[in-house]
Amino acid sequence: MIGPNLSEWAINKRSLVIYFMIVALIAGGFAFFKLGRNEDPAFTFRTMIVSAVWPGASMEETLLQVTERLERTLQETPNLDRLRSYSVPGQTVIFVDLKGSTPAAIVPDMWYQVRRRIADIRHTLPQGVAGPFFNDDFGDTFGIIYGFTADGFTPRELRDYVEAARSRLLLVPDVSKIELLGAQDERVFLEFSTERLAGLGLNYGAILQALQAQNLVRPSGLIETGQERLAVRVSGSFESEQDLLAVNFVIGERVFRLTDIATIRRGFADPPQPMFRVNGKPAIGLAIAMREAGDILALGRNIQAAMADIRAQLPIGIEASLVADQAVTVDEAIGDFMESLWQAIVIIMVASFLALGVRAGSVVALSIPLTLAIVFPVMLLLGIDLQRISLGALIIALTLLVDDAMTTIDAMIRRLAAGDSKRDAATFAYKALAAPMLIGTLVTIAGFLPIGFAKSSAGEYTFTIFAVVGIALIVSWFVAVLFAPLLGMAILKKPAAVAAAAEPEKQGAVLRAYTALLTLALKARWVTIAITLGVFAVSVFAMQFVPRQFFPSSDRTELLVDITLPQSASIFASETAANRLDAALANDPDVERWSTYVGRGAIRFYLPLNVQLALPFFSQAVVVAKDLPARERLHLKLERLMAEQFPEAVARVYPLELGPPVGWPLQYRVNGPDVEVVRDIAQRVAAIMAEAEGSRLVHFDWMEPARQLRVRVDQDEARRLGLSSAQVAAVLNAALTGTTVTQLRDDIYLINVVARATAEERLSLTTLRSIQLPLPGGRTVPLSQLAAFDYEQEYPLIWRRDRVPTLTVRADVTPGTLPDSVVAIMQPRIDALNATLPRPYRVDLGGIAEESALSQASVLAVVPVMLVVMLTLLMFQLVSFRRLFMVLALLPLGIIGVVLMLLASGRPLGFVAILGILALLGMIAKNAVILIISIEDERKAGAEVWDAVVRAASSRLRPMMLTAISTVFGLIPIAPTVFWGPMAFAIMGGLMVATLLTLVFLPTLYVTIFGGRPPAKR
């Protein structure tokens, strides 16, 4: 017995304990409605983006002078896992990934360290570099998105209404930030003809300087008198394009109006910024993020009310469409899980009533709401929301938490049948079983330790399994020793003599069958042990036939469609491809709605989304099907459409992922210092992947060089004319791309005024040759006089990993094929290729297989701690190496049922299923400990080994079978789900087989070790 008898204390303080029960129920009901609701558990994104821009730089200059300098400093970041970067000519973007073991609490400090270190070396970057810029909000989830479309309104008018809506929504409680999607910044273009300027003898630079000088904001002074202060303001600032039309220039003795030498028009960024479309129409989106620890359901209701007011104020022609609503998704998901939870409660209650009778079953049934009523406030205090993981954990805990209550009530029933008073019967369970029950509970919790302390994204994602199950099991032990005896005294009745006589006869058939089986197993002990070990060996062999999987795809109705054009493609080409996809989706009966992102990937509307970069050659559509069968039909149709009508693109159609985002299922990274060698190796890897059965859509994340026009300046001629390469580049940039001269201050907007050449001169190589370059004396010369033109090739994009060029070969899997099975086919050939490569070139595994291996390694790293905790707890209770050996011998045998059930159900052995297997160890150990303690109690009472084993096993038959049956049936509601199904089947099969072996194999092992003999041979 542990300390004072808590059951006896509860009986003596009956009124106080009943008061606590009432308070617990009220607090539990209050906490349940206060708990936050969310789709997925929050986990920390340990990634920061550092970017910098160096306009005009080549790829080589960008890599060596910007990317390399930044990466060398970033490698000094504490807890750094890896650096990933992509560079395009004139721009670099670096992903700083921290180790998965980095505590979430210190991640903000790590980002401060990054900012500080980069600030220290900013002065070493080349002149003209803008930035570096930092983004550590990479993991923000924008769960609610609205798209605003307009008919009969200009884009500027639409944006004004969207900005007003944004200002209104920012006032809604729990809103943390709102981002605009697809908004195109306005520009005022001054388009000059360089030939006309040259003919008039005008200096292009002088005109731009005059415009800048007129629009500068400068203090004009203050006049202070004896009574007041007067601010002096000088007119001339530009507030509209009309102000530009009125500008005059005096050059020499001539006066020119700006409209005489330039065309002035208002337009939008050219080339366009990333675009957003809703149901095929150009739109501006509002993506709304919730504050940390907010309630998405409450936010959804508040946003819905605010949007109703906003819609009422919108003019006819502007519509606000719902693009994504996480609140509705969460409400439906939680509703489904709550339905499963209530189903599990009813199933366990019914099992208790059928097995124990109405009165005893009522005591067990009442322990369920009492336990949950205490669990909910604890979850509220610890900040654990109701989400996919915690709700599943509650169902798992529900199947386990009745174990202690069943054990207590079963012991109480037996003592009442033996003639004890209600008070003695109520306190007996604590005296005899409190310690093994507590040790067993702690051992069960220890089985979940790898889940709770795995240092990886997947471990953090599933942490609440450990937290919720641990809380529930601890609470269930206190409920079993404090509340259950009190309820038993009030509900149970002492059996009458007739009933007591009838009871053995009623249970005789089951007991006789079990006793006969147990006796046979004990007599043929070596055969029993051999058969058990043989079946275990077969199950271990059969495990290779169980399919492997990291996390399954989501059961949400969205499909993602990625369209990746050649990396030299413009955003206009991406827009054309997106328009073709929109046209195909417009009349499809399976489509509910869709949104398209051109020049970027979808914003993170779903926490595990693999967010894509903003690149002009990439587009992504989020297609919402009407239901899951429609999603599957749509998936096939879109894959066929991509193959037939988008041959120029690498296109992928796939559902949302569960668990940490990974991207393409099959990935191999080729690393090495020389880009050309890396390309050659990558081609060989791609050939292996293309030949592997089950792979498809093999491609590279970068590979093909793109054309560039090289202007080779004759430096001698340029110096003779008084020009430099920098001046030539400035003139070309101003003519082709445009130079921002000044800004219009229009309401809340700052609109860049961009001076550039006319469209005819910008788009023609012939006119490019004749662009006039101003000379110091006021004359001009054509560019062709001092420069030659030719084409070169340059990589439009290069990825690096830890400062080494890295080319990733990626592929999808065919429908019905799991990535791990394809990797198993390819890996021997990849290993053989690696063996032939010169150092330091190598091919590394990536994708789902890599992330799965890392996540499993993080779990397995905690297994030794789990085993030490388990062994320590068991040793405290058993105080014997031989008894400890018996428990350890039983633990791995549950794998028999796991393999059998997974093969029978066709479910894969994934990350969540592995967590279930580890948790199963604790359940098996708990049953084994209580049975061994029962045998020891019988021996202390004077029984021989054989008799003690038979009596103890017979007495534990009902509670153990009841617990196993209630667990198996309680898991049925979540067994069909894609996320929890593999774990449920693993636990169901493993626990049923392990329970049978605990009742047969463990007694056999005990008799074998302790030398028991049958009564006939004594």
Side-chain angles (χ1 to χ4, degrees), residues 4-74:
N5 193 318
L6 295 181
S7 298
E8 186 175 4
W9 178 86
I11 294 169
N12 292 334
K13 305 290 184 180
R14 182 175 309 179
S15 298
L16 179 62
V17 174
I18 291 174
Y19 168 77
F20 283 144
M21 291 167 65
I22 295 171
V23 169
L25 290 171
I26 295 172
F30 173 79
F32 175 75
F33 290 104
K34 290 289 290 182
L35 283 170
R37 268 71 170 171
N38 222 321
E39 184 173 9
D40 290 282
F43 62 89
T44 305
F45 279 82
R46 294 170 173 82
T47 299
M48 184 188 216
I49 298 177
V50 181
S51 59
V53 179
W54 189 15
S58 66
M59 174 61 81
E60 184 178 6
E61 290 169 336
T62 303
L63 281 174
L64 297 179
Q65 299 299 327
V66 182
T67 306
E68 177 67 17
R69 291 175 188 268
L70 293 175
E71 287 185 337
R72 278 190 297 179
T73 300
L74 290 171

Coordinates of all heavy atoms in Angstrom, one line a residue, residues 4-74:
P4 N -1.1 6.5 3.3 CA -2.4 6.2 3.9 C -3.3 5.7 2.9 O -3.2 6.0 1.7 CB -2.8 7.6 4.5 CG -2.0 8.6 3.6 CD -0.7 7.9 3.3
N5 N -4.3 5.0 3.4 CA -5.4 4.5 2.5 C -6.3 5.6 2.0 O -7.1 6.1 2.8 CB -6.2 3.4 3.2 CG -7.0 2.6 2.3 OD1 -7.6 3.1 1.4 ND2 -7.1 1.3 2.5
L6 N -6.1 6.0 0.8 CA -6.9 7.1 0.2 C -8.3 6.8 0.1 O -9.2 7.7 0.2 CB -6.3 7.6 -1.1 CG -4.9 8.2 -1.1 CD1 -4.5 8.6 -2.5 CD2 -4.8 9.4 -0.2
S7 N -8.6 5.5 -0.2 CA -10.0 5.1 -0.3 C -10.7 5.2 1.1 O -11.9 5.7 1.1 CB -10.1 3.7 -0.8 OG -9.5 3.5 -2.1
E8 N -10.0 4.8 2.1 CA -10.6 5.0 3.4 C -10.8 6.4 3.8 O -11.8 6.8 4.4 CB -9.7 4.3 4.5 CG -10.2 4.2 5.9 CD -9.4 3.4 6.8 OE1 -8.3 3.0 6.4 OE2 -9.8 3.2 8.0
W9 N -9.8 7.3 3.5 CA -9.9 8.7 3.7 C -11.1 9.3 3.0 O -11.9 10.1 3.5 CB -8.7 9.4 3.3 CG -8.7 10.9 3.5 CD1 -8.4 11.6 4.6 CD2 -9.1 11.9 2.5 NE1 -8.6 13.0 4.4 CE2 -9.0 13.1 3.1 CE3 -9.6 11.8 1.2 CZ2 -9.4 14.3 2.4 CZ3 -9.9 12.9 0.5 CH2 -9.8 14.2 1.1
A10 N -11.4 8.9 1.7 CA -12.5 9.4 1.0 C -13.8 9.0 1.6 O -14.8 9.8 1.6 CB -12.4 8.8 -0.5
I11 N -13.9 7.8 2.1 CA -15.1 7.3 2.8 C -15.3 8.1 4.1 O -16.5 8.5 4.4 CB -15.0 5.8 3.1 CG1 -15.0 5.0 1.7 CG2 -16.2 5.3 3.9 CD1 -14.7 3.6 1.8
N12 N -14.3 8.3 4.8 CA -14.4 9.1 6.1 C -14.8 10.5 5.8 O -15.5 11.2 6.6 CB -13.1 9.0 6.9 CG -12.8 7.6 7.4 OD1 -13.7 6.8 7.6 ND2 -11.5 7.3 7.6
K13 N -14.3 11.1 4.7 CA -14.6 12.5 4.3 C -15.6 12.5 3.2 O -15.5 13.3 2.2 CB -13.3 13.2 3.9 CG -12.2 13.2 4.9 CD -12.5 14.0 6.1 CE -11.4 14.0 7.1 NZ -11.6 14.9 8.3
R14 N -16.7 11.7 3.3 CA -17.6 11.5 2.2 C -18.2 12.8 1.7 O -18.2 13.1 0.5 CB -18.7 10.6 2.7 CG -19.7 10.3 1.6 CD -20.7 9.3 2.1 NE -20.1 8.1 2.7 CZ -20.7 7.1 3.3 NH1 -22.0 7.1 3.3 NH2 -20.1 6.1 3.8
S15 N -18.6 13.7 2.5 CA -19.3 15.0 2.1 C -18.3 15.8 1.3 O -18.6 16.4 0.3 CB -19.8 15.7 3.3 OG -20.8 15.0 3.9
L16 N -17.0 15.9 1.8 CA -16.0 16.7 1.2 C -15.7 16.1 -0.2 O -15.6 16.9 -1.2 CB -14.7 16.7 2.0 CG -13.5 17.5 1.5 CD1 -13.9 19.0 1.3 CD2 -12.3 17.3 2.4
V17 N -15.6 14.8 -0.3 CA -15.2 14.2 -1.6 C -16.4 14.4 -2.6 O -16.2 14.6 -3.8 CB -14.9 12.7 -1.4 CG1 -14.7 12.0 -2.7 CG2 -13.7 12.5 -0.5
I18 N -17.6 14.3 -2.1 CA -18.8 14.5 -3.0 C -18.8 15.9 -3.5 O -19.1 16.2 -4.7 CB -20.1 14.1 -2.3 CG1 -20.2 12.6 -2.0 CG2 -21.3 14.6 -3.1 CD1 -21.3 12.2 -1.2
Y19 N -18.4 16.9 -2.6 CA -18.3 18.3 -3.0 C -17.3 18.4 -4.1 O -17.5 19.1 -5.1 CB -18.0 19.1 -1.8 CG -17.5 20.5 -2.1 CD1 -18.5 21.5 -2.4 CD2 -16.2 20.9 -2.1 CE1 -18.1 22.8 -2.8 CE2 -15.8 22.2 -2.4 CZ -16.8 23.1 -2.8 OH -16.4 24.4 -3.1
F20 N -16.1 17.8 -3.9 CA -15.1 17.9 -4.9 C -15.6 17.3 -6.3 O -15.2 17.8 -7.3 CB -13.8 17.1 -4.5 CG -13.0 17.9 -3.5 CD1 -12.4 17.2 -2.5 CD2 -12.9 19.3 -3.6 CE1 -11.6 17.9 -1.5 CE2 -12.1 20.0 -2.6 CZ -11.5 19.3 -1.6
M21 N -16.4 16.2 -6.2 CA -16.9 15.6 -7.4 C -17.8 16.6 -8.1 O -17.7 16.7 -9.4 CB -17.7 14.3 -7.1 CG -16.7 13.2 -6.6 SD -17.7 11.8 -5.9 CE -18.6 11.2 -7.2
I22 N -18.7 17.3 -7.4 CA -19.6 18.2 -8.0 C -18.8 19.4 -8.6 O -19.1 19.8 -9.7 CB -20.6 18.7 -7.0 CG1 -21.5 17.6 -6.5 CG2 -21.5 19.9 -7.5 CD1 -22.4 17.9 -5.3
V23 N -17.8 19.9 -7.8 CA -17.0 21.0 -8.4 C -16.2 20.6 -9.6 O -16.1 21.4 -10.6 CB -16.0 21.5 -7.3 CG1 -15.0 22.4 -7.9 CG2 -16.7 22.2 -6.1
A24 N -15.7 19.4 -9.6 CA -15.0 18.9 -10.8 C -15.9 18.8 -12.0 O -15.5 19.2 -13.1 CB -14.4 17.5 -10.5
L25 N -17.1 18.4 -11.9 CA -18.0 18.3 -13.0 C -18.4 19.7 -13.5 O -18.4 19.9 -14.7 CB -19.3 17.6 -12.6 CG -19.2 16.1 -12.3 CD1 -20.4 15.5 -11.7 CD2 -18.8 15.3 -13.6
I26 N -18.6 20.6 -12.6 CA -18.9 22.0 -13.1 C -17.7 22.6 -13.7 O -17.8 23.2 -14.8 CB -19.4 22.9 -11.9 CG1 -20.7 22.3 -11.3 CG2 -19.6 24.3 -12.3 CD1 -21.1 23.0 -10.0
A27 N -16.5 22.5 -13.1 CA -15.3 23.1 -13.7 C -15.0 22.4 -15.0 O -14.6 23.1 -16.0 CB -14.1 22.9 -12.7
G28 N -15.2 21.1 -15.1 CA -15.0 20.4 -16.4 C -15.9 20.9 -17.5 O -15.4 21.1 -18.7
G29 N -17.2 21.1 -17.2 CA -18.1 21.7 -18.2 C -17.7 23.1 -18.6 O -17.7 23.4 -19.8
F30 N -17.3 23.9 -17.7 CA -16.9 25.3 -18.0 C -15.6 25.2 -18.8 O -15.5 25.9 -19.8 CB -16.6 26.0 -16.7 CG -16.0 27.4 -16.9 CD1 -16.8 28.5 -17.3 CD2 -14.7 27.6 -16.7 CE1 -16.3 29.7 -17.5 CE2 -14.1 28.9 -16.9 CZ -14.9 29.9 -17.3
A31 N -14.6 24.4 -18.4 CA -13.3 24.4 -19.2 C -13.5 23.8 -20.6 O -12.9 24.3 -21.5 CB -12.3 23.5 -18.4
F32 N -14.4 22.9 -20.8 CA -14.6 22.3 -22.1 C -15.1 23.4 -23.1 O -14.6 23.4 -24.2 CB -15.7 21.2 -22.0 CG -16.1 20.6 -23.4 CD1 -15.2 19.7 -24.0 CD2 -17.2 21.0 -24.0 CE1 -15.5 19.2 -25.3 CE2 -17.6 20.5 -25.2 CZ -16.7 19.6 -25.9
F33 N -15.9 24.3 -22.7 CA -16.4 25.3 -23.6 C -15.4 26.5 -23.7 O -15.5 27.2 -24.6 CB -17.7 25.8 -23.1 CG -18.9 24.8 -23.3 CD1 -19.4 24.2 -22.2 CD2 -19.4 24.6 -24.5 CE1 -20.4 23.2 -22.3 CE2 -20.4 23.6 -24.7 CZ -20.9 23.0 -23.6
K34 N -14.4 26.5 -22.8 CA -13.4 27.6 -22.8 C -12.2 27.1 -23.6 O -11.4 28.0 -24.0 CB -13.0 28.0 -21.4 CG -14.1 28.8 -20.7 CD -14.3 30.2 -21.2 CE -13.1 31.1 -21.0 NZ -13.3 32.5 -21.5
L35 N -12.0 25.8 -23.8 CA -10.8 25.3 -24.5 C -10.8 25.9 -25.9 O -11.9 25.9 -26.6 CB -10.8 23.8 -24.5 CG -10.4 23.1 -23.3 CD1 -10.7 21.6 -23.4 CD2 -8.9 23.3 -23.0
G36 N -9.6 26.3 -26.4 CA -9.5 26.8 -27.8 C -9.8 25.6 -28.8 O -9.6 24.5 -28.4
R37 N -10.2 26.0 -29.9 CA -10.4 25.0 -31.0 C -9.5 25.4 -32.1 O -9.4 26.5 -32.5 CB -11.9 25.1 -31.5 CG -12.9 24.2 -30.8 CD -13.2 24.5 -29.4 NE -14.3 23.7 -28.9 CZ -14.7 23.7 -27.6 NH1 -14.0 24.5 -26.7 NH2 -15.7 23.0 -27.2
N38 N -8.9 24.3 -32.7 CA -8.0 24.5 -33.8 C -8.0 23.3 -34.6 O -8.4 22.2 -34.2 CB -6.6 24.9 -33.4 CG -6.1 26.0 -34.3 OD1 -6.2 26.0 -35.5 ND2 -5.4 27.0 -33.6
E39 N -7.5 23.4 -35.9 CA -7.4 22.2 -36.7 C -6.2 21.3 -36.4 O -6.3 20.1 -36.3 CB -7.3 22.6 -38.2 CG -7.3 21.5 -39.2 CD -7.4 21.9 -40.6 OE1 -7.3 23.2 -40.9 OE2 -7.6 21.1 -41.5
D40 N -5.1 21.9 -36.2 CA -3.8 21.2 -35.9 C -3.2 21.8 -34.7 O -3.4 23.0 -34.4 CB -2.9 21.2 -37.1 CG -3.4 20.4 -38.3 OD1 -3.2 19.1 -38.2 OD2 -3.9 21.0 -39.2
P41 N -2.3 21.0 -34.0 CA -1.6 21.6 -32.9 C -0.5 22.6 -33.4 O 0.0 22.4 -34.5 CB -0.9 20.4 -32.2 CG -0.8 19.4 -33.3 CD -2.0 19.6 -34.2
A42 N -0.3 23.7 -32.7 CA 0.7 24.6 -33.1 C 2.1 24.0 -32.9 O 2.3 23.3 -31.9 CB 0.6 25.9 -32.2
F43 N 2.9 24.2 -33.8 CA 4.3 23.8 -33.7 C 5.2 24.9 -34.2 O 4.8 25.6 -35.2 CB 4.7 22.4 -34.2 CG 4.5 22.3 -35.7 CD1 5.5 22.5 -36.6 CD2 3.3 21.8 -36.2 CE1 5.4 22.4 -37.9 CE2 3.1 21.6 -37.6 CZ 4.2 21.9 -38.4
T44 N 6.4 25.0 -33.7 CA 7.3 26.2 -34.0 C 8.0 25.9 -35.3 O 8.7 24.9 -35.4 CB 8.3 26.4 -32.9 OG1 7.6 26.6 -31.6 CG2 9.1 27.6 -33.1
F45 N 7.9 26.8 -36.2 CA 8.7 26.8 -37.5 C 10.1 27.3 -37.1 O 10.2 28.5 -36.9 CB 8.0 27.6 -38.6 CG 6.9 26.8 -39.3 CD1 5.6 26.8 -38.7 CD2 7.1 26.1 -40.4 CE1 4.6 26.1 -39.3 CE2 6.1 25.4 -41.1 CZ 4.8 25.4 -40.5
R46 N 11.0 26.5 -37.2 CA 12.4 26.9 -36.8 C 13.2 27.3 -38.1 O 14.3 26.8 -38.4 CB 13.1 25.7 -36.1 CG 12.5 25.5 -34.7 CD 13.0 24.2 -34.1 NE 12.5 24.0 -32.8 CZ 11.3 23.5 -32.5 NH1 10.5 23.1 -33.4 NH2 11.0 23.4 -31.2
T47 N 12.5 28.2 -38.9 CA 13.1 28.6 -40.1 C 12.9 30.1 -40.2 O 11.9 30.7 -40.0 CB 12.4 27.9 -41.4 OG1 12.6 26.5 -41.3 CG2 13.0 28.5 -42.7
M48 N 14.0 30.8 -40.6 CA 14.0 32.2 -40.9 C 14.5 32.5 -42.3 O 15.4 31.7 -42.8 CB 14.9 33.0 -39.9 CG 14.9 34.5 -40.0 SD 16.1 35.3 -39.0 CE 15.2 36.7 -38.5
I49 N 13.9 33.5 -43.0 CA 14.4 33.8 -44.3 C 15.2 35.1 -44.3 O 14.7 36.1 -43.7 CB 13.2 33.9 -45.3 CG1 12.4 32.6 -45.4 CG2 13.6 34.4 -46.6 CD1 11.2 32.7 -46.2
V50 N 16.4 35.0 -44.8 CA 17.2 36.2 -45.0 C 17.4 36.5 -46.5 O 17.8 35.5 -47.2 CB 18.6 36.0 -44.3 CG1 19.5 37.2 -44.4 CG2 18.4 35.6 -42.8
S51 N 17.1 37.7 -46.9 CA 17.2 37.9 -48.4 C 17.9 39.3 -48.6 O 17.9 40.1 -47.7 CB 15.8 38.0 -49.0 OG 15.0 39.0 -48.4
A52 N 18.5 39.4 -49.8 CA 19.1 40.6 -50.2 C 19.0 40.8 -51.7 O 18.9 39.8 -52.4 CB 20.6 40.6 -49.7
V53 N 19.1 42.0 -52.1 CA 19.0 42.3 -53.6 C 20.2 43.2 -54.0 O 20.5 44.1 -53.3 CB 17.6 43.1 -53.8 CG1 17.5 43.4 -55.3 CG2 16.5 42.2 -53.4
W54 N 20.7 42.8 -55.1 CA 21.9 43.6 -55.7 C 21.5 43.8 -57.2 O 22.0 43.0 -58.0 CB 23.2 42.9 -55.5 CG 24.4 43.7 -55.9 CD1 24.4 45.0 -56.1 CD2 25.7 43.2 -56.1 NE1 25.7 45.4 -56.4 CE2 26.5 44.3 -56.4 CE3 26.3 41.9 -56.1 CZ2 27.9 44.2 -56.7 CZ3 27.6 41.8 -56.3 CH2 28.4 42.9 -56.6
P55 N 20.8 44.8 -57.5 CA 20.3 45.0 -58.9 C 21.5 45.1 -59.9 O 22.5 45.8 -59.6 CB 19.6 46.3 -58.8 CG 19.1 46.5 -57.4 CD 20.2 45.9 -56.6
G56 N 21.4 44.4 -60.9 CA 22.4 44.4 -62.0 C 23.5 43.4 -61.9 O 24.3 43.2 -62.8
A57 N 23.6 42.7 -60.8 CA 24.7 41.7 -60.6 C 24.4 40.4 -61.4 O 23.2 40.0 -61.6 CB 24.8 41.4 -59.1
S58 N 25.5 39.8 -61.8 CA 25.3 38.5 -62.5 C 25.2 37.4 -61.5 O 25.3 37.6 -60.2 CB 26.6 38.2 -63.3 OG 27.7 38.1 -62.5
M59 N 24.9 36.2 -61.9 CA 24.8 35.1 -61.0 C 26.0 34.8 -60.2 O 26.0 34.6 -59.0 CB 24.4 33.8 -61.8 CG 24.4 32.5 -61.0 SD 23.1 32.6 -59.6 CE 21.7 32.2 -60.5
E60 N 27.2 34.9 -60.9 CA 28.4 34.6 -60.2 C 28.7 35.7 -59.2 O 29.1 35.4 -58.1 CB 29.6 34.6 -61.3 CG 30.9 34.2 -60.6 CD 32.0 34.1 -61.7 OE1 31.8 34.4 -62.8 OE2 33.2 33.7 -61.3
E61 N 28.5 37.0 -59.5 CA 28.7 38.0 -58.6 C 27.7 37.9 -57.4 O 28.1 38.1 -56.2 CB 28.5 39.4 -59.3 CG 29.5 39.7 -60.3 CD 29.2 40.9 -61.2 OE1 28.0 41.2 -61.3 OE2 30.1 41.6 -61.7
T62 N 26.5 37.5 -57.7 CA 25.5 37.4 -56.6 C 26.0 36.3 -55.6 O 25.9 36.4 -54.4 CB 24.1 37.1 -57.1 OG1 23.7 38.1 -58.0 CG2 23.1 36.9 -56.0
L63 N 26.4 35.1 -56.2 CA 26.8 34.0 -55.4 C 28.0 34.3 -54.5 O 28.0 34.1 -53.3 CB 27.1 32.8 -56.2 CG 25.9 32.0 -56.8 CD1 26.4 30.9 -57.7 CD2 25.2 31.3 -55.6
L64 N 29.0 34.9 -55.1 CA 30.3 35.1 -54.4 C 30.3 36.3 -53.5 O 30.9 36.3 -52.4 CB 31.4 35.2 -55.5 CG 31.7 34.0 -56.3 CD1 32.8 34.3 -57.3 CD2 32.0 32.8 -55.5
Q65 N 29.6 37.4 -53.9 CA 29.7 38.6 -53.2 C 28.6 38.8 -52.2 O 28.8 39.5 -51.2 CB 29.8 39.8 -54.1 CG 31.0 39.8 -55.0 CD 32.3 39.8 -54.3 OE1 32.4 40.4 -53.2 NE2 33.3 39.2 -54.8
V66 N 27.5 38.1 -52.4 CA 26.3 38.3 -51.5 C 26.0 37.0 -50.7 O 26.1 37.0 -49.5 CB 25.1 38.9 -52.2 CG1 23.9 39.1 -51.2 CG2 25.4 40.2 -52.9
T67 N 25.6 36.0 -51.5 CA 25.2 34.7 -50.9 C 26.3 34.2 -50.0 O 26.1 33.8 -48.8 CB 24.8 33.7 -52.0 OG1 23.8 34.3 -52.8 CG2 24.2 32.5 -51.3
E68 N 27.5 34.1 -50.5 CA 28.6 33.5 -49.8 C 28.9 34.3 -48.5 O 29.2 33.7 -47.5 CB 29.9 33.4 -50.7 CG 31.1 32.8 -50.0 CD 31.0 31.4 -49.6 OE1 30.1 30.7 -50.2 OE2 31.8 30.9 -48.8
R69 N 29.0 35.6 -48.6 CA 29.3 36.4 -47.4 C 28.2 36.2 -46.3 O 28.6 36.1 -45.2 CB 29.4 37.9 -47.8 CG 30.5 38.3 -48.7 CD 30.5 39.7 -49.1 NE 31.5 40.1 -50.1 CZ 32.7 40.6 -49.8 NH1 33.0 40.8 -48.5 NH2 33.5 40.8 -50.8
L70 N 27.0 36.2 -46.7 CA 25.9 36.1 -45.8 C 25.9 34.7 -45.2 O 25.8 34.5 -43.9 CB 24.5 36.3 -46.4 CG 24.3 37.8 -46.9 CD1 22.9 37.8 -47.6 CD2 24.3 38.7 -45.7
E71 N 26.1 33.6 -46.0 CA 26.1 32.3 -45.5 C 27.3 32.0 -44.5 O 27.1 31.3 -43.5 CB 26.1 31.3 -46.6 CG 24.8 31.2 -47.4 CD 24.8 30.2 -48.5 OE1 25.9 29.8 -48.9 OE2 23.7 29.7 -48.8
R72 N 28.4 32.5 -44.8 CA 29.6 32.3 -43.9 C 29.3 32.8 -42.5 O 29.6 32.3 -41.5 CB 30.8 33.0 -44.5 CG 31.5 32.1 -45.5 CD 32.9 32.7 -45.9 NE 32.8 34.0 -46.5 CZ 33.8 34.7 -46.9 NH1 35.0 34.3 -46.7 NH2 33.7 35.9 -47.4
T73 N 28.6 34.0 -42.4 CA 28.2 34.5 -41.1 C 27.1 33.8 -40.5 O 27.1 33.5 -39.3 CB 27.8 36.0 -41.3 OG1 28.9 36.7 -41.8 CG2 27.4 36.6 -40.0
L74 N 26.1 33.4 -41.3 CA 24.9 32.6 -40.8 C 25.3 31.3 -40.3 O 24.6 30.7 -39.4 CB 23.9 32.5 -41.9 CG 23.2 33.8 -42.2 CD1 22.3 33.6 -43.5 CD2 22.3 34.3 -41.1

